[in-house]
Amino acid sequence: MDSLTDKVVLVVGGGTGIGLAIGVAFAREGAKVVLAARTASSLAAAQALPDVGATLRTKTCDATDRTQVTELFAWTVAHVGPIDVLVYSAGINVAQRTFADMTPGAFDQVMTVNITGAFNIFHAALPSMRERRTGTIINVVSVAGVQTLPFAGLPYTASKSAQAALGRFANHEVLPDGVRVTNIHPGEVETPILDKRPVPPTAEHRARMLQPEDVAAMAIAVAKLPPRAIVPEIIIAPPPPSFP
């Protein structure tokens, strides 16, 4: 798939941050992009963006609600077409990040969005892709999915580890059917989720981080690869603080 022109791309978690940047990047490549998010106001703001904002289709959807997920896929196929590229970029974190201050409710909230939401989206997308014997799924995870990062917190690390396993398992299962799944593991990225940290990063710290468009560039590169090229997982990270 060296050209993305007219490819149908569904980005779940596309209202802000990495998901929005990925949606915009695909739109600039000529793809037909649908952004899905829980918040209608974020989707409206995306459509007001200069350049490609007016070309973006949007649909509110809570990935943890299976009825809404079913409606999202039916709506996308009916109004735009069969999905060629699916991006799962929905994710949350909470300020409580250790066993000492964790509440069961906060833990459940993060796990439900980050892993159950991902399962719901994969489960809805795969049958059609397998039947058509084509499709690319980009699973935006985190470096917290491949290593334990205390600052990321207990529920986020646990959920991202599970989300990474979900992507790996799906890739093994559906490769024979012509479908590819790639886990992208970004390091620290300048997005609104940083505001959920107990101590938000300083401006200097944020300036060293990846930008959402850096992750978007990686997603575009993966989607453009020919079917013979499989990228199960990839890490993209900023340089360490001591890097010159």
Side-chain angles (χ1 to χ4, degrees):
M1 189 191 294
D2 55 357
S3 173
L4 298 172
T5 301
D6 291 331
K7 298 298 181 183
V8 177
V9 179
L10 172 61
V11 184
V12 179
T16 61
I18 293 172
L20 175 58
I22 290 176
V24 168
F26 273 101
R28 287 175 178 160
E29 293 284 336
K32 299 175 181 177
V33 176
V34 176
L35 300 181
R38 291 181 296 175
T39 308
S41 59
S42 67
L43 296 175
Q47 289 184 306
L49 291 172
D51 189 5
V52 296
T55 72
L56 301 172
R57 285 86 159 176
T58 62
K59 184 85 167 77
T60 56
C61 177
D62 182 343
T64 69
D65 185 319
R66 290 178 177 138
T67 298
Q68 291 188 31
V69 169
T70 299
E71 292 171 351
L72 169 65
F73 279 82
W75 182 92
T76 300
V77 172
H79 290 83
V80 188
I83 298 164
D84 298 298
V85 180
L86 168 69
V87 179
Y88 189 76
S89 188
I92 63 168
N93 206 347
V94 290
Q96 306 100 310
R97 302 201 173 188
T98 66
F99 275 106
D101 65 3
M102 182 58 52
T103 65
F107 183 86
D108 290 346
Q109 180 186 16
V110 177
M111 294 296 290
T112 298
V113 173
N114 293 358
I115 181 58
T116 304
F119 167 80
N120 292 342
I121 296 299
F122 277 50
H123 190 258
L126 285 174
S128 174
M129 288 184 170
R130 297 175 89 167
E131 181 179 355
R132 296 167 57 225
R133 300 196 63 79
T134 183
T136 297
I137 296 178
I138 296 174
N139 188 29
V140 180
V141 192
S142 168
V143 291
V146 293
Q147 58 183 292
T148 300
L149 302 174
F151 69 83
L154 165 63
Y156 191 81
T157 300
S159 64
K160 288 298 179 176
S161 297
Q163 186 185 344
L166 183 82
R168 289 192 295 268
F169 190 96
N171 190 52
H172 281 293
E173 180 177 332
V174 301
L175 272 177
D177 301 318
V179 182
R180 305 175 295 179
V181 182
T182 294
N183 287 344
I184 296 183
H185 298 286
E188 289 188 298
V189 186
E190 170 66 282
T191 68
I193 200 172
L194 297 176
D195 297 330
K196 288 290 186 179
R197 288 187 181 178
V199 179
T202 64
E204 181 183 6
H205 187 176
R206 289 174 185 255
R208 294 196 302 266
M209 296 180 183
L210 297 171
Q211 295 300 307
E213 54 266 30
D214 301 329
V215 185
M218 188 63 65
I220 293 293
V222 168
K224 282 188 169 184
L225 289 170
R228 65 177 178 272
I230 311 301
V231 184
E233 300 194 76
I234 191 164
I235 294 174
I236 176 171
S242 60
F243 195 82

